[in-house]
Amino acid sequence: LWDRVLDIDDALLWQLHQRLKRKSFRYLTEEARQRWRDVWGKARHLVASGPLLDPEVLTLGFARRFATYKRADLLLRQEERLLEMITDERRPVQIVFAGKAHPADDAGKRILQRIYKLSHDPRSAGRVAFVQDYEMHVARALFAGVDVWLNVPRVPKEASGTSGMKAALNLVPQLGTLDGWWAEGYTGDNGWMIPAAPDPADPDEWDWDHLFLLLENEVVPTYHDRGEDGIPRAWARIMKHALWIAGRDFTTDRMLRDYTNDYYVPAWAASLEGDDPPDR
């Protein structure tokens, strides 16, 4: 069944994604409108929450806990380079952030504050948004409405990275470090990976530079490589591979099969024979 994903028509796939993207952006705009009316009362908060996002622009998504090892601020390590990329007149990029820091995590709160400050900065031209009160409905909108999922934890800190799996099930490829699920799930066809840093004790500069190189030299050009019909066929292929791998290998169905076949059945068989369960 999942193999048939690769045969989906490129044009239909792209039309679906664009429809979901516009729907997600309308949701974010309506959320911002209600908050402006009921809570904020200040225009600067409204701009920072995403109403200036353009569904035609390549959109990166980063939404999760603002733990320091997840490095939500990796793109912000050189703001001028970031601003140059997101305000490019021909091929701009926009970024949507969402998430919360633990109340006791002061470093995580400082990262969140830095991103929120940039979302208010006129230099970003409204192309950096921070969606407040991250929860299931916001997550659903982001998983379906962005073009690339950023997942850049400091290796080997990531336990799983389930947000990237959920994004892939919404036809959104991941760009990330080889950690968590991406260490197993990356195939070369379903997204982009940041290679392992030569000095694992201090990977931040290496990962930051390679993140920008991938965006500038691979992600952005591929997104804008359109045929006469306006369809980015190379990009559509990556989207299909993202869905194919995530659906085939990274679902609860696979988890249950693995537990049953590799743990429960061997343990049950060993108990019937009076043996000790296998050491796994």
Side-chain angles (χ1 to χ4, degrees):
L1 175 64
W2 285 107
D3 291 348
R4 294 172 61 190
V5 166
L6 301 179
D7 297 325
I8 297 174
D9 180 77
D10 291 344
L12 290 176
L13 183 83
W14 186 245
Q15 291 167 11
L16 170 64
H17 178 63
Q18 291 301 100
R19 186 162 68 246
L20 290 172
K21 195 174 180 182
R22 289 191 293 270
K23 180 180 178 181
S24 297
F25 282 23
R26 285 196 300 270
Y27 170 82
L28 295 179
T29 299
E30 190 58 33
E31 284 289 296
R33 188 194 316 277
Q34 293 181 17
R35 288 184 179 279
W36 185 45
R37 180 193 64 198
D38 301 335
V39 181
W40 299 326
K42 295 182 180 180
R44 65 187 185 93
H45 293 308
L46 179 66
V47 170
S49 59
L52 299 183
L53 296 174
D54 184 348
E56 300 300 321
V57 172
L58 172 61
T59 305
L60 313 181
F62 185 103
R64 57 183 56 82
R65 287 186 302 114
F66 272 67
T68 53
Y69 78 87
K70 292 180 181 291
R71 299 188 296 185
D73 60 339
L74 193 62
L75 275 172
L76 279 64
R77 289 179 179 270
Q78 191 179 53
E79 284 191 9
E80 293 304 321
R81 188 175 181 182
L82 173 61
L83 290 169
E84 182 179 345
M85 181 177 67
I86 66 177
T87 58
D88 184 280
E89 292 185 1
R90 290 193 312 113
R91 302 187 305 187
V93 175
Q94 56 195 13
I95 314 170
V96 184
F97 292 95
K100 300 177 181 179
H102 190 279
D105 185 359
D106 291 336
K109 286 187 282 188
R110 285 193 293 270
I111 291 174
L112 191 154
Q113 290 166 350
R114 185 179 179 189
I115 291 171
Y116 193 59
K117 181 180 179 181
L118 182 63
S119 69
H120 286 77
D121 193 328
R123 296 179 301 161
S124 69
R127 298 202 187 281
V128 177
F130 182 84
V131 183
Q132 296 190 30
D133 292 335
Y134 181 57
E135 42 76 49
M136 290 178 62
H137 293 90
V138 173
R140 182 179 181 182
L142 293 183
F143 289 137
V146 302
D147 298 300
V148 178
W149 197 255
L150 292 179
N151 194 12
V152 289
R154 187 178 290 111
V155 180
K157 300 289 187 178
E158 186 69 275
S160 181
T162 52
S163 66
M165 303 177 198
K166 288 182 279 190
L169 288 170
N170 283 271
L171 294 165
V172 176
Q174 177 169 295
L175 192 172
T177 50
L178 287 176
D179 199 9
W181 86 286
W182 204 227
E184 178 186 353
Y186 173 72
T187 66
D189 295 316
N190 61 340
W192 302 268
M193 69 91 179
I194 297 172
D199 181 8
D202 186 21
D204 287 2
E205 184 173 353
W206 170 276
D207 290 347
W208 162 81
D209 189 49
H210 281 76
L211 174 58
F212 268 97
L213 289 174
L214 285 168
L215 286 169
E216 295 165 345
N217 299 328
E218 296 188 31
V219 178
V220 174
T222 304
Y223 183 83
H224 289 279
D225 181 15
R226 310 291 174 93
E228 293 182 359
D229 56 3
I231 307 299
R233 298 195 178 276
W235 190 274
R237 180 178 181 274
I238 296 171
M239 292 170 65
K240 285 188 281 190
H241 276 264
L243 174 58
W244 176 47
I245 295 300
R248 188 189 69 180
D249 296 339
F250 294 94
T251 60
T252 305
D253 179 72
R254 179 228 167 152
M255 179 190 71
L256 290 173
R257 281 188 282 108
D258 284 356
Y259 271 110
T260 300
N261 295 332
D262 296 343
Y263 294 93
Y264 300 150
V265 170
W268 174 69
S271 68
L272 292 179
E273 297 173 1
D275 297 331
D276 292 331
D279 184 15
R280 288 184 177 270

